[in-house]
Every structure is written in structure tokens, then in C-alpha cells.
Amino acid sequence: MSASELAYEIEPRDFADRLSQNAAIAILDCRETWEHQAANIAGAELIPMNTIPANLQQIEALAEDKLLVVYCHHGVRSLHTVAWLRQQGIGNAMSLSGGIDRWSMEIDPKVPRY
């Protein structure tokens, strides 16, 4: 599947399956620092949404040769972030559908909900 055919969102189960298979994935948390401290997905790089443009080169490097999965609390901010990143040429970015809240409910109940 080419980047232009890649969906904008990835379902939590699909994301979890890919992680368990050690797929080449970079994880970007676009929430605020206090949210990341309250609950996060292991291995995620924290780059708050309002700092994404200033960190574009870092994100490009993160996403090189990997699927870039972006998440937030409920999936709205991450979907906006993915749309912007794709406009910047990062075609392999996807938003975690339902965010970390859905991840906690469906995949990892040890991740606190807030």
C-alpha cells in the first residue's frame, strides 16, 4: 500500500498487533506534558501539538522508514496533526483512532484514563 492510499487513522487493535510483531513504528504523543505524565504509551515521543511545526525536522527523522502513529486523548488533535504532517510531505503518518482513552479501554487497561 502506498502512502497515498494509507488511511488517516489506525484502529487500536491493528496498532497493538503491529507493535507486538515489532513492526517499524514511531509513536508521537501530541498532547501536553501534564497529559503525557498522567498516561502514555511506552516508547512515545512527546511533542505537544502547538510545537509540531517547530519540530518538523525531528518528526521527519522519527518517521523515516517507519509508520508514524500520532495519538492524543480522544483522537481529535492527533487527526488534525496527521492531516498537517501529510501536507508537509510525511505521508506515512496515522492517527490512533480514539486516542489513548480508547487504547486504555480496549488494549491496555493499565494505562490510566483521565
Side-chain angles (χ1 to χ4, degrees), residues 30-100:
C30 70
R31 299 172 303 148
E32 297 300 316
T33 302
W34 71 267
E35 292 176 288
H36 183 80
Q37 291 169 343
N40 63 73
I41 297 172
E45 181 85 25
L46 174 65
I47 303 176
M49 185 179 183
N50 65 342
T51 69
I52 295 285
N55 288 289
L56 185 57
Q57 284 186 305
Q58 179 185 352
I59 296 166
E60 287 171 335
L62 246 164
E64 191 172 337
D65 300 325
K66 296 179 186 169
L67 176 65
L68 177 66
V69 176
V70 183
Y71 75 91
C72 62
H73 191 193
H74 290 113
V76 176
R77 285 177 283 177
S78 58
L79 190 55
H80 287 292
T81 298
V82 164
W84 187 84
L85 289 172
R86 288 201 180 184
Q87 289 173 347
Q88 308 314 305
I90 302 177
N92 56 333
M94 295 181 80
S95 172
L96 178 60
S97 179
I100 197 166

